[in-house]
Amino acid sequence: LREPSVIQPVFYVMSEIASARIMKKSLVPSEAREARKENLESAQQDQRSSIVAAKRGIDWKALRSDLEDLVEEKGCHPILVRLSWHDAGTYCPKEQNGGPRGCMRFAESGEATYPCNAGLRIARDMLKQIKEKFNQVSNADLWAFAAVVAIKAAGGPTIPFRYGRSDAENVSESIPDGRLPDGDKDAEHLREIFHRMEFSDQEIVALSGAHTLGACHKDRSGFEGNWTEEPLKFDNSFFIDLFAKKWTEMTVEGSGNPQFKDDKGNMMLSTDLALFSDEKFRPFAEKYSKDQQTFFDDFAKAFQKLQELGYSDGQLRFI
């Protein structure tokens, strides 16, 4: 796990060690325990004060308002969600790297240049002015919060948000390409990607429901078209359409990528249809097609987990 954004000052740790040594020589056991308890409580109080001070440095209500104005003006809900997802979805607990840390802000190399992140410079550029206004917030926190605000503004669930993510110091912290899912693969590919981050099959299906927002663009991903008829509305239409419509395989002209289309021109990816065809994924997808509230509840939990990969409870605080 990364170092917390607000840590216990070193001098308190050293004070604890020094106090313990003195107590060992001069205090009876009960007095020593009480003194250590008082020192620890003092250190914890200082840490809480530091956290409060850090929180006061960011006007989260004003930041939310500016983000709501941005998505209303630009209709950029989907790409803000994609930015957060691609920042967080690189995490590997085994290697203890990747995850939400704003590494794509180094635009000329590293993760920002990977094919899977094509087009995300648009989202980063949209957020630059807001980042300059709220310069105390890390890029990783801003990108995560922007996605939370965008999902809610599109009619989706309220996703609990905690701040405290730290930004990568330089582009050398970029992880290797290949940790995000490819749209032309199957169910086992989804499991390979998401199980690495310790997501269950149910969470995989819930997170896939984010495809109710947005569209694919041939010049970015090699795929083309909206998933649903209302690409700026967050609901369970993705799952309803998955079961209700006939999906015909086609090849995207120019890229050669396989995808599927309905009679209105909307599309699904191979990984989307895997939620229908795979016997373990299908029950969850079917449940979400019939019960939007259950989908919202499960998605909110899974998306919060995604956005907090690599951080402990002690490193994050609710706004």
Side-chain angles (χ1 to χ4, degrees), residues 140-281:
D141 274 345
L142 176 60
W143 297 356
F145 192 50
V148 166
V149 172
I151 289 168
K152 185 63 177 177
T158 298
I159 298 170
F161 178 78
R162 301 193 290 180
Y163 70 96
R165 298 162 189 79
S166 56
D167 286 335
E169 293 184 2
N170 53 63
V171 73
S172 68
E173 294 187 39
S174 290
I175 50 84
D177 194 8
R179 290 190 183 178
L180 295 169
D182 295 323
D184 60 350
K185 299 294 192 298
D186 58 10
E188 288 313 305
H189 171 72
L190 286 177
R191 290 192 173 94
E192 179 183 352
I193 294 295
F194 284 92
H195 286 182
R196 183 199 73 232
M197 298 180 284
E198 301 177 349
F199 284 106
S200 67
D201 281 2
Q202 175 263 317
E203 290 171 320
I204 293 172
V205 177
L207 287 173
S208 297
H211 282 175
T212 196
L213 280 181
C216 287
H217 304 272
K218 185 167 62 176
D219 59 337
R220 302 175 194 174
S221 64
F223 302 101
E224 183 68 29
N226 297 341
W227 276 281
T228 67
E229 293 180 29
E230 296 184 87
L232 297 184
K233 182 179 180 180
F234 196 103
D235 57 15
N236 66 336
S237 292
F238 169 80
F239 293 110
I240 293 173
D241 291 352
L242 190 62
F243 286 88
K245 293 185 175 182
K246 179 181 179 181
W247 297 99
T248 304
E249 188 171 7
M250 58 166 290
T251 300
V252 179
E253 185 177 353
S255 70
N257 284 354
Q259 64 179 49
F260 299 80
K261 67 176 181 178
D262 67 6
D263 57 4
K264 294 185 178 180
N266 298 313
M267 68 93 203
M268 289 278 178
L269 302 173
S270 298
T271 46
D272 297 324
L273 291 186
L275 307 179
F276 174 86
S277 60
D278 184 85
E279 63 179 13
K280 294 181 180 179
F281 284 155

Side-chain angles (χ1 to χ4, degrees), residues 29-49:
S30 61
E31 292 174 331
R33 286 194 298 271
E34 187 63 29
R36 282 196 296 270
K37 180 180 178 182
E38 290 176 359
N39 282 343
L40 180 59
E41 288 175 349
S42 176
Q44 290 173 337
Q45 178 61 42
D46 182 85
Q47 186 176 14
R48 286 193 293 268
S49 297

Side-chain angles (χ1 to χ4, degrees), residues 19-27 32 36:
S19 296
R21 288 173 179 165
I22 293 170
M23 292 169 195
K24 185 176 181 180
K25 293 180 180 180
S26 59
L27 298 177
R36 282 196 296 270

Side-chain angles (χ1 to χ4, degrees), residues 65-78:
S65 179
D66 282 7
L67 289 169
E68 288 172 341
D69 289 344
L70 176 68
V71 296
E72 182 178 359
E73 177 187 352
K74 302 290 187 180
C76 57
H77 314 62

